[in-house]
Amino acid sequence: MADLVLGQVLSFAGDPFAIGPAAARHWTRGGVLIEDGLIRAVGDGDALRTGHPMARVTDYGGALISAGVIDSHVHYPQTAIIASWGKRLIDWLNRYTFPEEMRFADPSYAGEVAGRYLDLALAHGTTAMCSYATIHPASVDALFAAAQARGMRVFAGKTCMDRNAPEGLRDTAQSAYDDSRRLLETWHGRGRLSYVITPRFSPTSSREQLEALGALWGEHPDCLMQTHLSEQTDEVAWVKRLFPEARDYLDTYEAHGLLGQGGLYGHAIHLEPREADRLAEVGAAVIHCPTSNTFIGSGLFDMGLSARMRVGLATDTGGGSSFSMLRTMAAAYEVGQLRGRALHPAELMWLATAGNARALRVEDRVGNLAPGLEADLVVLDLASTPAIEQATRRAEDVWQALFPTIMMGDDRAVRAVWSGGRCLKGA
Ligand code: GUN
Ligand code: ZN
């Protein structure tokens, strides 16, 4: 049976960074028709109701229906250490992250956290994500199995590290290749799941490991590859000491077959001109993680890069301090202000939906409300708290009505979530 969901509807006909807020489509009384897990129609609510009298109707009133939000860089194994106090990147990894990731040697712990993480993400309106696992292959199985049970579109990969990590959290060049390949062959393209080749970052991989993973990517060019790039200045200096032959940080990937169009480079804050040029030239994507960048003191991302390359927006949980992509949009706005560029709410919503889908190269599947796309939806209550409600009373358009929720909203603003045509939160 078809479902018809009614409310305010927001979709995109283009990229607001390129053509401005007019890229958005907004219906005050709109509707989305869903059948067999896919969006069949988007438009005027009353017309859709008249045209599809047999559809089961869910009316969300004045709430705003958007494509489900996507998180393009997250570490699900760091769920339990989110908001850990007082460290910058390298100390934070050693003090909090690595000990926690060690616990994923136990597959039952991995399964428990995978389920907990996906339920938290859904509660915050996130319907798809691209996650790092730990070095343990079973940590990938755990996340994909939990995603399958919920019908979610999930990208993930085994994190590979063969040096500068504690005993028990290191693989080898060969085992990283073998395990990654086996996981890729098992999971990639199965239902809504995609495998992502995942060297953590240059400091924790030998040249041999980077080379092996570059070779695997060469054998499976349709896979994405995710890693970290130029997040903190101390990290950049360490990379230069570890790879004296490299022209810059990006070159440590480039020299080993790990620079390409399907590459997702997390953070990319302290880029040298050659690095930005090369990323733009090959058509790679960089992922902005603003709550992480302020929380662990990394720096201020340059959103000007969006004129030259695909840019995604992500929580980077648990270096990031929130599971919420609303909070993440707010932090992107704040970082933009500190750099002298106020991001428009259309740009923020686009980054969290269609922009992230484009970064993950699935814009023909998710990230927007359009016929033929998978029916992943989030329904936002634009008056979810008294503070937000009073700030929206004088709103004259959808952007003024939405912006207080972007800046002050949390999971209480998420009235309902649909994933693959099924309602997983709210009625
Ligand atoms: N660089 C390498 N690993 C990590 C990680 O887990 N989180 C963040 N924020 N940066 C990293
Ligand atoms: Zn990260």
Side-chain angles (χ1 to χ4, degrees):
M1 188 206 274
D3 279 287
L4 177 60
V5 296
L6 299 174
Q8 295 194 60
V9 170
L10 180 68
S11 72
F12 289 95
D15 171 358
F17 283 92
I19 58 177
R25 295 276 172 277
H26 174 247
W27 292 264
T28 306
R29 183 85 190 134
V32 181
L33 186 73
I34 299 168
E35 199 174 22
D36 299 330
L38 299 179
I39 296 168
R40 298 294 179 191
V42 181
D44 178 75
D46 293 333
L48 284 170
R49 200 168 192 159
T50 309
H52 302 274
M54 304 298 283
R56 180 173 47 202
V57 173
T58 308
D59 192 342
Y60 292 112
L64 182 78
I65 303 167
S66 154
V69 296
I70 301 172
D71 189 344
S72 53
H73 180 125
V74 50
H75 300 256
Y76 96 82
Q78 297 170 14
T79 295
I81 56 141
I82 193 167
S84 291
W85 184 85
K87 302 287 180 203
R88 289 166 63 91
L89 178 60
I90 305 304
D91 292 337
W92 174 84
L93 285 170
N94 288 319
R95 168 74 177 81
Y96 298 117
T97 308
F98 291 158
E100 177 64 15
E101 293 193 7
M102 211 96 83
R103 299 181 66 178
F104 285 69
D106 173 4
S108 72
Y109 186 65
E112 193 252 304
V113 178
R116 193 196 319 163
Y117 165 72
L118 289 182
D119 289 340
L120 282 165
L122 281 168
H124 287 82
T126 300
T127 50
M129 73 280 298
C130 185
S131 182
Y132 289 63
T134 64
I135 70 147
H136 313 96
S139 71
V140 177
D141 296 328
L143 184 64
F144 279 147
Q148 225 168 16
R150 291 160 180 79
M152 295 173 71
R153 181 163 282 286
V154 171
F155 296 75
K158 177 197 123 70
T159 296
C160 300
M161 300 195 272
D162 68 348
R163 64 167 169 171
N164 294 320
E167 177 70 31
L169 217 51
R170 289 194 303 265
D171 49 19
T172 66
Q174 189 64 46
S175 74
Y177 175 90
D178 292 342
D179 288 342
S180 300
R181 193 173 108 172
R182 192 174 44 74
L183 289 162
L184 189 161
E185 286 168 355
T186 305
W187 292 107
H188 189 58
R190 196 157 138 189
R192 305 186 80 196
L193 310 176
S194 301
Y195 190 78
V196 186
I197 296 165
T198 308
R200 179 175 219 121
F201 66 157
S202 294
T204 50
S205 288
S206 64
R207 291 169 184 75
E208 294 70 32
Q209 178 165 86
L210 295 174
E211 191 71 28
L213 294 173
L216 181 63
W217 199 17
E219 291 153 22
H220 298 275
D222 63 312
C223 269
L224 299 177
M225 188 287 303
Q226 62 182 344
T227 191
H228 297 86
L229 176 67
S230 298
E231 180 177 1
Q232 292 205 347
T233 49
D234 291 357
E235 172 212 15
V236 176
W238 191 24
V239 169
K240 290 193 167 174
R241 288 198 300 277
L242 288 169
F243 296 86
E245 74 282 16
R247 286 170 288 182
D248 46 43
Y249 194 158
L250 185 67
D251 197 31
T252 64
Y253 298 128
E254 187 170 0
H256 298 101
L258 292 169
L259 176 63
Q261 210 178 27
L264 306 166
Y265 301 86
H267 305 289
I269 299 170
H270 306 284
L271 294 181
E272 294 177 16
R274 191 203 80 92
E275 294 177 292
D277 290 348
R278 282 299 286 149
L279 288 163
E281 227 166 71
V282 304
V286 295
I287 310 296
H288 177 28
C289 306
T291 76
S292 170
N293 297 161
T294 52
F295 183 73
I296 54 179
S298 302
L300 305 177
F301 180 83
D302 174 13
M303 192 49 83
L305 291 175
S306 67
R308 305 177 61 195
M309 63 189 78
R310 289 173 297 137
V311 174
L313 180 67
T315 62
D316 191 30
T317 299
S321 57
S322 175
F323 294 99
S324 169
M325 286 298 291
L326 288 171
R327 174 73 199 107
T328 302
M329 288 182 241
Y333 179 79
E334 290 160 352
V335 169
Q337 284 284 61
L338 287 168
R339 293 203 57 134
R341 160 90 153 83
L343 292 172
H344 191 276
E347 293 174 325
L348 295 167
M349 283 298 288
W350 183 85
L351 281 170
T353 55
N356 271 339
R358 198 181 66 167
L360 298 173
R361 307 180 77 180
V362 283
E363 65 268 39
D364 57 340
R365 304 262 174 97
V366 290
N368 206 348
L369 300 178
L373 296 196
E374 296 164 5
D376 287 357
L377 273 55
V378 61
V379 184
L380 295 175
D381 175 354
L382 301 184
S384 61
T385 68
I388 295 173
E389 188 278 328
Q390 62 85 38
T392 60
R393 262 181 232 160
R394 286 178 226 155
E396 286 171 4
D397 62 24
V398 64
W399 306 122
Q400 289 178 14
L402 174 59
F403 194 55
T405 289
I406 289 176
M407 293 309 299
M408 295 191 282
D410 54 28
D411 51 332
R412 290 169 292 178
V414 178
R415 164 110 180 256
V417 177
W418 292 64
S419 173
R422 287 194 307 143
C423 185
L424 297 188
K425 173 180 175 175

